Amino acid sequence: TLDITYNLIFNAFRGITPKMVFQFIASGLIGTKAAQHGGMASVALGVALHYLIALIWTVVFYAASHWLPILRRRPVISGLLYGVCVYLFMNLAVLPLSGVPHVRSAVTVASRINGVLALMLFGLTISLLVRFSSTYRLQPNET
């Protein structure tokens, strides 16, 4: 929610509406024309895809934190680095393989910096929540 809110605010300054953002996300799965002509159904699909992707990345970090305890011991640095890794993977692997339009003129230095910072915040949030949940887990005899 923090990630998409950050994205929506940043894009509002660029004249991009929330509807356009979510249809862009949906276009990765159904293509640009179908997303643009899909109305609120494609917006809903974009919202669902955003949260599904965010949930998958959260589960990946949570699972990795059980195999690599340093992720829980150093939540700030691991979360920030995780966000950078998510950004790189999404932009170098997932997006090129998806149906989203590849408009180079839309990619500016500001949008790249925004994207990296947003996902660093996303990674930091995940890592702090994982740290909190592992630190303050209720014991079996507690209610």
Side-chain angles (χ1 to χ4, degrees):
T1 299
L2 289 173
D3 174 51
I4 197 62
T5 301
Y6 186 78
N7 185 291
L8 294 174
I9 291 169
F10 177 79
N11 281 303
F13 287 110
R14 299 170 63 199
I16 300 171
T17 66
K19 179 181 178 182
M20 293 165 66
V21 169
F22 290 118
Q23 285 179 326
F24 179 80
I25 295 168
S27 74
L29 184 63
I30 62 174
T32 303
K33 284 189 179 188
Q36 288 174 344
H37 297 296
M40 291 309 292
S42 64
V43 172
L45 177 61
V47 171
L49 287 172
H50 167 76
Y51 279 101
L52 176 64
I53 292 165
L55 179 63
I56 290 168
W57 283 115
T58 302
V59 168
V60 167
F61 185 90
Y62 181 77
S65 74
H66 290 295
W67 293 315
L68 301 168
I70 192 152
L71 297 177
R72 291 189 312 270
R73 285 195 307 268
R74 301 280 188 244
V76 174
I77 190 68
S78 64
L80 294 173
L81 289 174
Y82 186 66
V84 171
C85 291
V86 170
Y87 177 85
L88 291 172
F89 188 80
M90 290 298 294
N91 282 275
L92 298 176
V94 175
L95 292 177
L97 295 173
S98 75
V100 297
H102 304 289
V103 182
R104 292 210 182 268
S105 62
V107 179
T108 63
V109 172
S111 69
R112 288 281 185 206
I113 292 170
N114 175 68
V116 172
L117 291 177
L119 287 174
M120 288 174 75
L121 176 62
F122 172 74
L124 179 61
T125 303
I126 292 170
S127 66
L128 290 174
L129 288 172
V130 167
R131 168 68 184 259
F132 179 80
S133 73
S134 68
T135 303
Y136 297 102
R137 200 172 288 163
L138 289 176
Q139 298 303 316
N141 60 352
E142 296 181 65
T143 56

